[in-house]
Amino acid sequence: MVSLAGFTSYRVGGPAEWFVSPRTVEDLRACFAWATAEGLPLTLLGLGSNLLVSDRGLPGLVICTRHLRQTQFDEETGRLTAAAGEPIARLAWKAADRGWAGLEWAVGIPGTVGGAVAMNAGAHQACTADILVKAQLVTQAGETQELSPADLGFRYRTSILQGDTSRLVTQATFQLCPGAGAAVVTAETRACQERRHATQPYHLPSCGSVFRNPEPRTSGWLIEQTGLKGFQIGGAQVSPMHANFIVNLGNATASDVYRVIRHVQEKVSQRWDITLEPEVKIWGEF
């Protein structure tokens, strides 16, 4: 068994019954084949940034994609292809260094390319669907698929891949805008990063935004107006800096975080008659 606490940005969670982090697509196919042959439940994990894993851990095989890393810039088409395990924030800086515009918004997102595609990650009024050309996937049967944005059924912070363990994004191709100039793109990328750091508690472990925004209000506004900033159970706290963040003060358990999530949902529902929908994926038994 392998503890998953070190593989999530919350720094909480129990053990995986089986754990593997393949370095090639062929290794990934072999992992799928083994799990299928053994009849094991399958869990797909990137950087663990949008995730809460139960203290009891997870049964079956956890496949971590963080070692699937490779990038390729096509100067003729302005397209950037990146492997699923590439951190999307790191990719934003790589694009900025070349003066390719289009990924500045992603600099503060603590997830992988694969995760960004699966959940249609976004920030600053931009999202993955805006620039994705295609995604390549491997199915549990070992087959390769290529899906367009239309195939992926993108909506706000989700796609048809959310919760689908039968296939995994292995790489994605994005359409960017070369020629904007490294100084210009770097400055905008840095500005996006500074805006997020000025308003969000990046100094403490968290999953990022906990709840989807129920338009026209934001979850953070609803939670703050309900008087829940600073609310705490155990080592988990609704951040005083941004109410849509629940942070680990250092000694939180997954159960602490989960109980804060449910308390926030209950109180917001009572006051506003709105049920906040978690953006964070909640895995395991609570």
Side-chain angles (χ1 to χ4, degrees), residues 194-222:
E194 289 173 354
R195 284 199 294 272
R196 289 178 72 96
H197 284 189
T199 59
Q200 299 177 1
Y202 280 91
H203 60 293
L204 290 171
S206 78
C207 71
S209 295
V210 176
F211 300 102
R212 291 183 167 87
N213 289 323
E215 300 295 343
R217 302 293 191 185
T218 67
S219 293
W221 186 90
L222 291 167

Side-chain angles (χ1 to χ4, degrees), residues 9-266:
S9 59
Y10 254 134
R11 298 294 181 258
V12 299
E17 183 179 9
W18 298 92
F19 179 90
V20 66
S21 186
R23 294 180 180 273
T24 68
V25 174
E26 287 308 311
D27 288 344
L28 174 61
R29 285 194 174 93
C31 295
F32 272 144
W34 182 77
T36 300
E38 296 295 322
L40 295 174
L42 197 59
T43 302
L44 307 176
L45 173 68
L47 288 182
S49 58
N50 189 41
L51 181 63
L52 178 64
V53 175
S54 165
D55 296 314
R56 301 180 185 183
L58 299 174
L61 176 64
V62 174
I63 299 178
C64 179
T65 64
R66 64 179 59 194
H67 288 124
L68 294 175
R69 296 191 182 187
Q70 187 176 4
T71 56
Q72 181 180 353
F73 289 83
D74 189 326
E75 301 287 348
E76 292 185 7
T77 64
R79 291 181 174 181
L80 167 58
T81 299
E86 191 72 32
I88 192 75
R90 179 181 169 186
L91 202 64
W93 282 117
K94 286 185 177 182
D97 288 343
R98 284 178 173 257
W100 287 30
L103 264 174
E104 298 92 326
W105 56 270
V107 69
I109 294 177
T112 62
V113 166
V117 171
M119 73 167 290
N120 191 20
H124 307 295
Q125 288 74 57
C127 64
T128 305
D130 296 337
I131 58 172
L132 184 73
V133 176
K134 59 184 178 181
Q136 190 175 94
L137 297 87
V138 168
T139 70
Q140 197 164 346
E143 300 169 341
T144 299
Q145 293 181 344
E146 188 171 282
L147 301 184
S148 69
D151 297 328
L152 289 162
F154 282 129
R155 290 181 290 114
Y156 173 70
R157 301 294 181 268
T158 192
S159 76
I160 63 170
L161 298 178
Q162 283 279 60
D164 183 356
T165 61
S166 67
R167 51 187 173 174
L168 176 69
V169 175
T170 54
Q171 68 177 37
T173 299
F174 304 101
Q175 182 65 61
L176 301 184
C177 300
V184 172
V185 182
T186 296
E188 178 57 27
T189 303
R190 184 171 292 114
C192 287
Q193 184 182 58
E194 289 173 354
R195 284 199 294 272
R196 289 178 72 96
H197 284 189
T199 59
Q200 299 177 1
Y202 280 91
H203 60 293
L204 290 171
S206 78
C207 71
S209 295
V210 176
F211 300 102
R212 291 183 167 87
N213 289 323
E215 300 295 343
R217 302 293 191 185
T218 67
S219 293
W221 186 90
L222 291 167
I223 297 166
E224 182 172 354
Q225 295 304 309
T226 308
L228 292 171
K229 266 191 171 181
F231 175 80
Q232 183 176 339
I233 294 177
Q237 180 191 55
V238 177
S239 171
M241 188 176 188
H242 191 306
N244 199 19
F245 279 62
I246 296 173
V247 296
N248 179 355
L249 296 176
N251 62 337
T253 64
S255 179
D256 292 340
V257 177
Y258 182 80
R259 289 166 62 202
V260 172
I261 289 173
R262 294 304 182 225
H263 180 83
V264 168
Q265 286 178 309
E266 178 185 353

